[in-house]
Amino acid sequence: MGRRCGAVGGLTDAVLELAGVVAGYGGSDVLQGVDLAVDRGSITCIVGPNGAGKSTVLRTISGLLRPRKGTILLDGRQVGGLAPWEILSMGVAQVPQSGALFPSLSVRENVLMGAYIHRRDGALLRERYLRVEDFVPFLRERGDDRAGNLSGGQRRFVEFARCLMLDPHLVLLDEPSLGLDPGSLARVFDLIGRMHDDGKTIVLVEQNVRLGLAVATRAVVMENGRVRMTGDPADILGNPAIAELYLGGTVRRVDAPGAERTAEPEGSADRAAP
Ligand SMILES: Nc1ncnc2c1ncn2[C@@H]1O[C@H](COP(=O)(O)OP(=O)(O)OP(=O)(O)O)[C@@H](O)[C@H]1O
Ligand SMILES: [Mg+2]
């Protein structure tokens, strides 16, 4: 059974800690007091139904949304309310849920925009771009193509590459599996694994619960603007209450992408199997 929420911190070395965060849009509060601790070096996967507040949590962490209450500690420093460029300069980069690229610009131009805050340091940009090409070889073949001519999976690689231009230590990924075919899915999740091996801490929001929890080292379940449960991914995936709520029935363990599929539970609620 996953640990009940509210036990903020209490992890060995939290790179990010949210305590009692309230945030929202216009007159309404979407986040109703979010407590979340992200352990350094983890892949923390946030799951939950549509409208639970998953993307709003990422927007609040990255400074796109100001918290109305509560604290956000990044490496122990209070960052709630800082501007997005300040959060970027602290090594936190996000791949948003959709529409992040400029379709009329080339792949290379889109990727270089990821290091806009270093635009005056040509040597750094060249060094970073070469390193990102090693991570995402696709850039070598298609660097001059317009981003608007790419497939969904190819665009996702460009979005990841742009995020990596900052050499972030904390990466926020919002639904990377959205709309991808199985082949692209496996390649994107392979890239996530390589980023993790490279020492990056990853916060992964996923509607594809099985896929997200298969690669995660920690699971967080959100519902109605709050963290409902946190714990070991296998415990959460095996929790009947969670399976009922978000997976439409009992769920068997699955392995990371590329492993043979286990039998799909009848009527599973999450997105079609990868
Ligand atoms: N830009 C916005 N302006 C106003 N309301 C918003 C905005 N973005 C999200 N909301 C509202 O905030 C609530 C939470 O949205 P959020 O995008 O965080 O959910 P989510 O968990 O990411 O959902 P999904 O799985 O569908 O992406 C929803 O009710 C949504 O309608
Ligand atoms: Mg979302």
Side-chain angles (χ1 to χ4, degrees), residues 54-55 97 174-175 205:
K54 305 184 295 296
S55 297
Q97 191 163 336
D174 198 349
E175 305 241 24
V205 163

Side-chain angles (χ1 to χ4, degrees), residues 21-74:
V21 172
V22 173
Y25 308 89
S28 70
D29 288 341
V30 167
L31 304 186
Q32 307 282 346
V34 168
D35 294 331
L36 175 68
V38 174
D39 205 5
R40 193 177 310 279
S42 69
I43 297 181
T44 297
C45 183
I46 303 176
V47 296
N50 296 114
K54 305 184 295 296
S55 297
T56 301
V57 166
L58 298 192
R59 284 189 203 113
T60 307
I61 294 167
S62 49
L64 296 168
L65 207 57
R66 289 177 70 88
R68 295 167 176 170
K69 279 186 203 150
T71 57
I72 301 177
L73 299 183
L74 181 65

